[in-house]
Structures are given as structure tokens and as C-alpha cells.
Amino acid sequence: QVQLKESGGGLVQAGGSLRLSCAFSGHSFRTYHMGWFRQAPGKDREFVSHINGDGDIIDYADSVRGRFTASRDDGQKTVGLQMANLKPEDTAVYYCAASQLFGPASSLSSYDIWGQGTQVTVSS
């Protein structure tokens, strides 16, 4: 059974950086598309980034493109999200997600395995 666990969240000032990590436990890591989503208080969960199993297709939401960088390490079975130039509007709980049966990269319904989330707070 696949499980995901996020780490690396915290409190940072605007303009600062954080790196999130998602540890994948289970088999066949390379067959999974991996996504990052976030949910701010009172808002819907939204797409942040996607990386495919080979790591050669990476997508970003317009709001984070150029500031966030997704990556994966098949040996460690982890997915990373490097976040730079953080803004207060980036404050949210960040979730890692995985899927073998893939649909649109930005759709929540494309992912069937979710982590518990990690809090990112950006102060102004």
C-alpha cells in the first residue's frame, strides 16, 4: 500500500525560500505521477505542480511558475518542491499526491493517494 508523507513546511518571511519533500513508501515509484497541491484557509485545494514518472514532464500553476521547482529522486523515492521568492499568498497547507491512472495533471480527481499535508506560512 502506497503512503505519502510531506515534510519541510514552516514559517518564512516574504521573499524567502523553503524546500518541501514528499517521501513515498511502497513499490513501483517510477510508475506514479506525482503532484503538489495547496489549500489556504477558506479556499479550495488548488494545483501547484506535477511531475511525471520519468521526471521529464513538469507542470506548474501560473501563480508559482518561475518561483517553484519540482523534482524527483527515484533512488530515495522522494519528490521535492523548492519554493523561492515566497509571497504571503503562498500561505497554505501543501499536499503531495500520487496517481498511476492519470488524467489532467491539474485536476484533484486525477490523484488517488494523498499525504497528510505540511503547513507553509509566509509573513509579510
Side-chain angles (χ1 to χ4, degrees), residues 3-94:
Q3 292 184 319
L4 305 174
K5 184 172 178 60
E6 303 92 339
S7 61
L11 173 64
V12 64
Q13 289 188 330
S17 300
L18 277 177
R19 179 176 175 81
L20 304 183
S21 185
C22 173
F24 176 104
S25 62
H27 300 290
S28 306
F29 176 60
R30 289 198 65 184
T31 67
Y32 284 83
H33 293 259
M34 303 297 296
W36 286 100
F37 289 76
R38 67 186 182 187
Q39 187 165 18
K43 294 188 176 182
D44 293 334
R45 193 170 298 189
E46 65 176 10
F47 169 75
V48 174
S49 179
H50 152 263
I51 185 167
N52 71 338
D54 291 333
D56 58 353
I57 298 175
I58 305 176
D59 305 294
Y60 298 98
D62 290 343
S63 59
V64 307
R65 186 176 292 111
R67 299 188 298 121
F68 290 12
T69 303
S71 61
R72 64 189 295 156
D73 184 328
D74 292 340
Q76 296 294 320
K77 292 199 291 185
T78 59
V79 177
L81 186 68
Q82 181 69 45
M83 306 185 295
N85 190 22
L86 283 161
K87 305 175 182 180
E89 51 264 42
D90 295 318
T91 295
V93 177
Y94 283 70

